[in-house]
Amino acid sequence: MGKFFSFRKILLLSLLGMVLLSGWGCATGNRLTQTSTIDALLAGVYDGEMSCGELLGHGDFGIGTFDHLDGEMVVLDGTVYQVKIDGRVYQPSKELKTPFASVCFFTSDQEITIEPGLNYKALKLLLDEILPNRNLFVAVKIEGLFKRMKVRSVPAQSKPYQPLAQVIKDQKIFELEEVAGTIVGFRSPPFVKGINVPGYHFHFLDQKRQAGGHILNLETISGSCQLDILNTLTLVLPTESGSLAGIDLSQDRSHALEKVER
Ligand SMILES: [Zn+2]
């Protein structure tokens, strides 16, 4: 009898575990959470509302920017890194806010080896071949050695804010050579136009945590790429700051986005 009960107990606990695990998976495992929209950022909405601390509650991996557009954000292994206009990497306080960021809890679904000699374009083509379904979100993490890594950061802004396409003229470009580090980013479906960046959006953080930024180009030497397919999107719009009030988000800003991203 005792044996029977313990067996049943184990069975019940296993079932409960499975339910909890699958529930957890639905709740966080395949979810991309983003704050505000790319078009709001393009329109000059640089006042943050979600704190870095709150952002980490939605994910341990991702990219974005900071209050007043103060640099490029990389979230890796649960730590938020800030690459400022001086090209250096800072760890901001949990209170610092973000006007735009996307994060997920990264779990690898697939791993591939990265060949040498790929530039950014070739890398994107390779990933497209591996992931033919463009209508899902994919978190991409590449740990590797790079012959070249061309990254940029943006200067902090003060009011009245200029549109991002204007601000980007003052970006600083850094050309890193023979650098080890991690690419952190996402491929988003075409239908997120206006909300996020359709296609690839990658940031970089070097292994020494001393350099990084928004990737403009690269050349691989070697690396390992992990992919996490995401099928749920949570969009958190700013309300308290009222920063979206009075912003016309009905226009097509894809041309401005093209200027800013590439
Ligand atoms: Zn970026």
Side-chain angles (χ1 to χ4, degrees):
M1 207 58 165
K3 242 182 195 171
F4 172 73
F5 269 118
S6 60
F7 172 72
R8 204 165 67 166
K9 219 184 233 172
I10 288 165
L11 185 70
L12 277 172
L13 281 173
S14 313
L15 282 173
L16 182 69
M18 272 153 68
V19 168
L20 281 175
L21 276 176
S22 59
W24 183 251
C26 287
T28 57
N30 296 314
R31 183 189 300 272
L32 178 74
T33 300
Q34 76 165 80
T35 177
S36 195
T37 70
I38 191 69
D39 273 15
L41 195 74
L42 287 167
V45 179
Y46 305 142
D47 284 335
E49 187 167 296
M50 187 183 283
S51 70
C52 288
E54 192 186 344
L55 186 70
L56 288 174
H58 296 287
D60 57 8
F61 175 98
I63 54 177
T65 184
F66 296 91
D67 203 25
H68 307 296
L69 200 74
D70 192 7
E72 307 281 353
M73 178 193 286
V74 181
V75 183
L76 183 59
D77 300 325
T79 301
V80 179
Y81 299 94
Q82 181 178 18
V83 186
K84 292 200 194 186
I85 190 73
D86 60 7
R88 294 173 64 182
V89 179
Y90 300 81
Q91 282 188 35
S93 87
K94 295 251 162 87
E95 283 73 46
L96 184 62
K97 291 178 174 179
T98 169
F100 181 75
S102 306
V103 291
C104 70
F105 285 102
F106 192 93
T107 48
S108 177
D109 292 321
Q110 201 177 338
E111 191 163 340
I112 55 160
T113 302
I114 297 296
E115 302 297 326
L118 300 177
N119 62 16
Y120 197 6
K121 194 179 170 191
L123 178 64
K124 290 187 228 184
L125 287 172
L126 172 74
L127 293 172
D128 280 343
E129 245 174 66
I130 294 160
L131 303 157
N133 185 353
R134 284 168 182 254
N135 295 328
L136 293 170
F137 292 87
V138 188
V140 181
K141 181 184 192 175
I142 304 174
E143 289 169 316
L145 186 60
F146 303 90
K147 192 174 169 64
R148 292 181 304 117
M149 182 59 76
K150 186 178 177 183
V151 286
R152 70 108 194 274
S153 189
V154 283
Q157 298 298 296
S158 47
K159 286 179 177 170
Y161 293 139
Q162 299 300 308
L164 193 52
Q166 190 67 32
V167 170
I168 225 71
K169 291 175 184 163
D170 299 323
Q171 71 182 3
K172 274 261 170 65
I173 293 175
F174 308 98
E175 311 234 16
L176 312 174
E177 286 175 10
E178 303 280 333
V179 62
T182 308
I183 293 175
V184 172
F186 299 97
R187 186 184 74 181
S188 298
F191 57 77
V192 301
K193 186 177 153 196
I195 295 172
N196 207 315
V197 178
Y200 294 92
H201 184 185
F202 288 167
H203 288 187
F204 178 73
L205 184 67
D206 83 334
Q207 207 171 44
K208 294 178 185 159
R209 309 296 190 245
Q210 289 175 348
H214 171 105
I215 297 179
L216 297 172
N217 205 352
L218 56 85
E219 189 181 329
T220 61
I221 293 176
S222 62
S224 156
C225 170
Q226 294 181 314
L227 304 164
D228 184 9
I229 313 286
L230 308 167
N231 69 350
T232 307
L233 174 66
T234 296
L235 182 62
V236 184
L237 296 173
T239 50
E240 283 161 36
S241 57
S243 54
L244 288 188
I247 307 288
D248 177 12
L249 293 174
S250 64
Q251 308 170 28
D252 182 349
R253 287 184 165 84
S254 6
H255 185 65
L257 181 63
E258 187 66 31
K259 266 201 228 165
V260 164
E261 289 301 314
R262 271 99 205 174

